[in-house]
Amino acid sequence: MKSQNLPLAEQLQHCHIVHSLNNRVRVIAPTLHKDHERAYILEILLHKHPGIRQVRTVADIASVAVSFDPKTLPQANLLTFLDAIIGNLGQKRPAAGATAADIVVDPGQPEQEVNLAIEGMTCASCALLIEMLLQRDPRISSASVNYATETATVRGRLGKDQLFACVQRMGYRAQALDTLSQRKLLIGKERQKLALARRRAVWANLLSLPAIAIAMAMPHARWLHWLEFGLTLPVVFWAGRPFFEKAWSLAQHRSANMDTLVALGVGAAYTYSVGALLARKRELYFEAAAGIVAFVLLGRYLEESARGKAHEAIRRLIDMQPQTATLLRDGQEITVNIDDVVVGDVLLIRPGEKVPTDGTVIDGLSTVDESLVTGESLPVVKETGHKLIGGCVNGSGALRMRVTAVGADTVLAGIIHMVDHAQAAKLPIQKTVDQVSAVFVPAVMAISGLTLAGWLAAGAGVTRAFGNAITVLLIACPCALGLATPAAIMVGTGQSAKRGIFIRNGESLEMASKLNVVVFDKTGTITEGKPEVTDLINISRRTDQQMLALVAAAELNSEHFLGKAIVAKAREDGIAIKAAKTFASIPGRGIHAGIGSHELLVGNQSWLSEQGIPLDALLEPAAALAAAGKTPVFVAVDGKAAALLGIADRPRANARRAIERLHRLGVKTLMVTGDTAATAHYIAGQVGIDQVVAHARPERKLEIIHELQAQGATVGMIGDGVNDAPALAAADVSFAIGTGTDVAIETADMTLVHGDIIKVVEAMELSGDTLRIIKQNLFWAFGYNTVAIPVAVLGKLNPMIASGAMALSSVSVVLNSLRLQRGGGA
């Protein structure tokens, strides 16, 4: 019924108003009726106007609902604007695939990356279809959809709601992945979906078996034919309903996938059989139609179940975050959902509870188990001022914390995001597979049609020709092809996360097994990164305590391990540390700081020499320290040499074994460090590294990486500090120590959470196993289709056997990938 309070209602030419209330208008536009493509364009164009808050179109009933801001866009103006756009769209229907030309890209809209879960994908070709349609939108610069993980990563100039609407238009459902709580809800939905898949598969098989038994007996009794019809009716139209719904949705987009093949095969077999039953013929295909549905549903249930096991690594990380937190407000303890916590809130963490999110301790004393996040094996003492990481387990004390990060900004969310990206990555080999899969379904449909025509031309009966054509539709399986690579990557990256190796991208997983040179930093990489001040040689007139106080003040703001060791030594000796007036860090060289009225230079010999500081009195003791494996740190105060500190750092426990295993793999090892030659050679000798480059500045480390690559080497780099970042970025595969600086971790392809460099060897071995599994999967998937389709064309396969083989081919790919969880792949 048309609204009576809208003066422009009678003037509208292309739509009529059916509802108007609370700044929301709904109109019916006849030109949009069942035209999903035109409705999609209308939605995009309306979203461009700043006064329009929300748009929802339902093309099946030609409905357009618009929520608007009356201050920015008065209702009368909205209706005029809406009528004009609908009129323009009605003049000429855009051709399929040409809608991008009608979408105006707003250059002022910032580009953003959105991660989302996609529900409703039933095979790998669904992922290819969504990816292809998204990439047609000019507002989207890149889109990657992963069927194995059921996620997508989209970068472009459009809002999240608009993106979700795009996905919904394609017949799928998009869900946000902004918080860990949303991820937990999706996991719950996955379990419900798995339960429904199991129920459909069980009932379909229970009802199909007696129908198959009746068909095999080839009865003459008409009542048995009708019983067969009755048994298979719920199998086809209840259990098999998702196939037809998806096929119809795809047909509206002029696309097809595996559901299309199944729907065509089942629908054709069932329709033919109903006609034959009414015509009192004996050639019925009821059991074939039901058997196809039953076998495919059983295969998909087994595939879903197997994929669920492959998601265990991500689930384990997500489960680390609690669902609720205890909020302290006005002296009251309030239990709130974790998504309602905001930065600045004060939370209470009781003994034994998980830390809800990232924050800083403001009161209390306890120990916290951070092993799952940082790799620190022993509980860490936490008191006022110390940082807390969400997901870690509190010990026996109560803590009050102030929230510093929530949602996607937390450390745990960053780790999960990193694993997600790695699992969603596409290796170069996958691009070829995608190209094959994109044309596979249309090609199979064409082969099926030719099979029908060929058998009819050869004089075969309609029943036989029809049966062979259906078999061709059913035996073809792009799912196995589409799953071959992502299933292996998902399991491989999940296993690496389980072992404490977080992979930032899939390409590094592929490249790691090809490394033949690995370059190591020394301090914090080969060594434990827990250096201690062992010697202080003071040649100034100040006392040792005064000198240590000056140097500690200078190093207070430094992130370098050696600087932290000096500060720790001063605090251990009970020395008060002043704040520096000025501070400048020169990576790989040293620091320059102003302390009170004094100027300090603290660093290595070459840097202080360059600054014109005479070091003759310290060179001999420095050489003695270096020969003992200690790092000499020179100190100058007000332009004069003042002191020398000796700092010792032990090699990591597994360092020697890691180097030995790399050598057994034929990998050349090289230590490149800014430390002195004597200290570097001493540590290298302890762990078994033959080649050493000392006194290496950051730019020299970068040059060495480039030199090795120019010689044809595939180079891995392992480091932990700011001075390693350029070399890490340049290496073919880079590894950061999890306890290192943020810059190193952000730059590296992989992060070794536990700081154990033997994980580099494990990453290389896992890379080799994953690539081996991918090649096996592709071999069997291509081989299966190469053999199965010609056999089906020749009429040597039964439709039910074809559908069973098709379903099991996908299951076999996932099960083969799961061998990586057992260290398989050989």
Side-chain angles (χ1 to χ4, degrees):
M1 179 177 140
K2 192 177 290 186
S3 173
Q4 300 301 315
N5 62 344
L6 297 173
L8 280 174
E10 299 297 334
Q11 301 176 27
L12 302 180
Q13 300 177 13
H14 307 288
C15 59
H16 61 273
I17 305 158
V18 294
H19 176 76
S20 172
L21 183 66
N22 295 334
N23 302 326
R24 179 179 171 85
V25 171
R26 187 163 79 89
V27 302
I28 296 296
T31 58
L32 300 181
H33 184 60
K34 291 191 180 290
D35 194 331
H36 293 269
E37 196 168 9
R38 189 179 285 155
Y40 170 64
I41 297 171
L42 173 65
E43 198 162 316
I44 292 170
L45 293 174
L46 289 176
H47 270 299
K48 297 285 293 176
H49 198 292
I52 293 178
R53 294 170 175 166
Q54 190 176 20
V55 180
R56 185 172 183 268
T57 60
V58 183
D60 290 337
I61 58 173
S63 168
V64 182
V66 181
S67 297
F68 62 100
D69 180 2
K71 294 180 181 177
T72 308
L73 183 63
Q75 187 170 272
N77 294 357
L78 166 68
L79 292 170
T80 304
F81 178 62
L82 185 62
D83 194 59
I85 291 180
I86 293 173
N88 289 335
L89 285 175
Q91 292 173 10
K92 182 181 179 181
R93 189 186 189 283
T99 60
D102 299 299
I103 302 173
V104 180
V105 181
D106 182 3
Q109 175 78 17
E111 191 170 82
Q112 61 179 334
E113 183 176 283
V114 178
N115 295 293
L116 60 152
I118 298 181
E119 297 180 40
M121 292 193 290
T122 53
C123 75
S125 52
C126 288
L128 286 173
L129 171 68
I130 297 169
E131 192 172 290
M132 178 186 69
L133 292 177
L134 286 174
Q135 288 175 341
R136 286 180 182 174
D137 193 319
R139 298 168 301 170
I140 294 174
S141 55
S142 66
S144 176
V145 182
N146 190 303
Y147 170 57
T149 59
E150 296 184 313
T151 59
T153 301
V154 180
R155 177 170 285 278
R157 288 186 169 89
L158 75 170
K160 193 175 295 183
D161 291 339
Q162 293 170 295
L163 177 59
F164 287 4
C166 293
V167 174
Q168 190 173 352
R169 290 290 172 202
M170 302 172 200
Y172 302 89
R173 294 176 300 282
Q175 298 287 334
L177 283 179
D178 296 332
T179 67
L180 298 186
S181 294
Q182 289 173 337
R183 297 292 299 264
K184 284 189 178 182
L185 289 174
L186 287 173
I187 288 173
K189 286 186 178 181
E190 285 177 14
R191 293 186 178 124
Q192 293 174 6
K193 186 172 69 173
L194 186 62
L196 178 60
R198 181 177 181 273
R199 190 160 61 249
R200 286 185 186 274
V202 168
W203 279 107
N205 280 273
L206 285 175
L207 293 171
S208 296
L209 288 174
I212 293 170
I214 292 171
M216 291 176 67
M218 294 187 291
H220 292 274
R222 295 286 298 162
W223 72 272
L224 287 173
H225 292 167
W226 281 100
L227 176 61
E228 196 178 344
F229 166 75
L231 287 169
T232 57
L233 187 68
V235 176
V236 173
F237 291 102
W238 173 71
R241 181 180 174 183
F243 298 121
F244 296 103
E245 289 178 342
K246 185 62 67 180
W248 174 248
S249 176
L250 292 170
Q252 291 177 312
H253 288 277
R254 298 173 179 83
S255 301
N257 72 352
M258 197 61 223
D259 292 282
T260 306
L261 300 184
V262 173
L264 284 174
V266 171
Y270 203 82
T271 302
Y272 175 86
S273 299
V274 169
L277 178 66
L278 296 175
R280 306 180 70 83
K281 294 181 181 179
R282 291 185 57 198
E283 296 85 0
L284 305 177
Y285 283 105
F286 286 125
E287 85 290 347
I292 290 163
V293 172
F295 282 131
V296 174
L297 287 177
L298 179 61
R300 287 192 176 172
Y301 166 69
L302 294 173
E303 180 189 321
E304 287 284 341
S305 181
R307 284 200 296 155
K309 293 178 182 177
H311 280 110
E312 283 177 2
I314 283 283
R315 285 176 183 162
R316 181 167 166 263
L317 288 169
I318 291 171
D319 286 340
M320 288 173 63
Q321 187 190 55
Q323 287 286 81
T324 60
T326 303
L327 177 66
L328 297 177
R329 183 177 292 164
D330 300 327
Q332 300 293 316
E333 296 180 9
I334 308 168
T335 301
V336 297
N337 188 290
I338 190 65
D339 287 344
D340 294 330
V341 174
V342 298
V343 174
D345 279 348
V346 176
L347 306 179
L348 172 65
I349 310 164
R350 296 184 177 89
E353 289 185 342
K354 290 180 179 177
V355 178
T357 188
D358 295 357
T360 304
V361 178
I362 59 173
D363 185 40
L365 175 66
S366 184
T367 58
V368 174
D369 180 1
E370 298 182 337
S371 58
L372 286 174
V373 175
T374 66
E376 183 66 47
S377 57
L378 297 175
V380 181
V381 175
K382 297 293 182 180
E383 56 186 340
T384 303
H386 286 185
K387 292 181 180 179
L388 294 172
I389 299 173
C392 298
V393 181
N394 186 27
S396 57
L399 294 173
R400 285 178 172 80
M401 64 170 280
R402 190 175 303 280
V403 176
T404 57
V406 295
D409 297 326
T410 63
V411 171
L412 182 58
I415 291 172
I416 292 172
H417 181 68
M418 193 186 302
V419 177
D420 269 341
H421 264 262
Q423 292 192 339
K426 289 190 176 181
L427 305 190
I429 194 171
Q430 179 68 21
K431 295 176 182 177
T432 304
V433 176
D434 286 350
Q435 291 170 354
V436 173
S437 298
V439 299
F440 191 86
V441 173
V444 169
M445 294 172 68
I447 294 171
S448 177
L450 291 173
T451 301
L452 176 64
W455 278 94
L456 290 173
V462 174
T463 301
R464 186 178 183 189
F466 187 68
N468 291 340
I470 290 173
T471 304
V472 170
L473 286 176
L474 297 171
I475 196 64
C477 184
C479 298
L481 280 176
L483 276 171
T485 301
I489 292 175
M490 180 173 64
V491 180
T493 51
Q495 277 301 102
S496 69
K498 221 172 187 178
R499 300 180 190 185
I501 308 165
F502 291 126
I503 301 176
R504 190 175 296 277
N505 56 68
E507 291 81 357
S508 61
L509 179 65
E510 180 180 21
M511 188 64 67
S513 62
K514 301 174 184 177
L515 296 177
N516 48 34
V517 177
V518 174
V519 177
F520 290 89
D521 174 46
K522 182 185 76 69
T523 305
T525 303
I526 290 291
T527 60
E528 290 180 343
K530 297 177 182 178
E532 297 177 351
V533 176
T534 56
D535 301 87
L536 173 58
I537 300 167
N538 183 3
I539 61 172
S540 73
R541 294 180 179 179
R542 296 172 181 84
T543 65
D544 288 354
Q545 276 204 333
Q546 289 172 333
M547 179 54 64
L548 188 56
L550 278 176
V551 180
E555 294 282 8
L556 188 60
N557 293 318
S558 174
E559 287 194 347
H560 198 281
F561 285 105
L562 300 180
K564 290 180 179 179
I566 295 169
V567 173
K569 173 64 175 173
R571 284 177 172 158
E572 184 183 318
D573 291 352
I575 297 173
I577 305 174
K578 296 180 180 179
K581 289 194 303 182
T582 59
F583 175 85
S585 175
I586 297 85
R589 312 292 275 156
I591 63 165
H592 182 187
I595 312 297
S597 60
H598 302 291
E599 294 294 323
L600 269 74
L601 297 176
V602 184
N604 58 35
Q605 177 188 338
S606 59
W607 186 59
L608 265 72
S609 295
E610 287 176 9
Q611 304 305 310
I613 309 297
L615 301 174
D616 296 345
L618 296 174
L619 294 181
E620 188 175 334
L625 290 173
K630 300 175 182 179
T631 301
V633 176
F634 293 82
V635 181
V637 179
D638 298 329
K640 296 180 180 180
L644 176 71
L645 289 89
I647 301 179
D649 192 8
R650 292 177 299 180
R652 292 184 182 271
N654 288 328
R656 187 171 188 87
R657 191 155 63 94
I659 302 302
E660 288 173 353
R661 286 181 63 178
L662 285 171
H663 288 168
R664 283 200 297 270
L665 291 173
V667 177
K668 177 183 174 183
T669 57
L670 176 68
M671 180 192 288
V672 180
T673 176
D675 214 334
T676 64
T679 304
H681 279 287
Y682 179 87
I683 297 296
Q686 287 189 304
V687 299
I689 294 179
D690 298 324
Q691 191 172 350
V692 174
V693 177
H695 301 293
R697 302 181 187 181
E699 56 269 27
R700 179 57 186 147
K701 292 183 178 184
L702 179 60
E703 287 172 4
I704 290 170
I705 298 293
H706 287 318
E707 287 168 6
L708 291 167
Q709 290 170 331
Q711 295 166 13
T714 305
V715 184
M717 169 70 191
I718 310 173
D720 70 304
V722 175
N723 59 330
D724 299 317
L728 288 169
D732 295 294
V733 181
S734 51
F735 305 84
I737 302 298
T739 52
T741 62
D742 292 342
V743 174
I745 292 171
E746 287 297 319
T747 305
D749 298 310
M750 299 189 188
T751 302
L752 312 179
V753 177
H754 300 282
D756 185 356
I757 61 174
I758 207 165
K759 298 293 182 183
V760 174
V761 185
E762 291 184 19
M764 292 176 64
E765 291 173 345
L766 187 60
S767 166
D769 290 342
T770 303
L771 286 179
R772 204 170 295 115
I773 288 288
I774 288 173
K775 290 173 182 176
Q776 290 171 3
N777 287 349
L778 289 173
F779 173 80
W780 289 111
F782 276 113
Y784 164 85
N785 285 293
T786 302
V787 173
I789 293 176
V791 172
V793 170
L794 295 173
K796 302 297 184 182
L797 279 178
N798 177 279
M800 283 190 296
I801 296 174
S803 62
M806 179 271 292
L808 290 175
S809 65
S810 295
V811 177
S812 66
V813 163
V814 179
L815 291 177
N816 188 45
S817 300
L818 285 174
R819 292 198 302 125
L820 286 167
Q821 291 186 339
R822 302 189 300 271

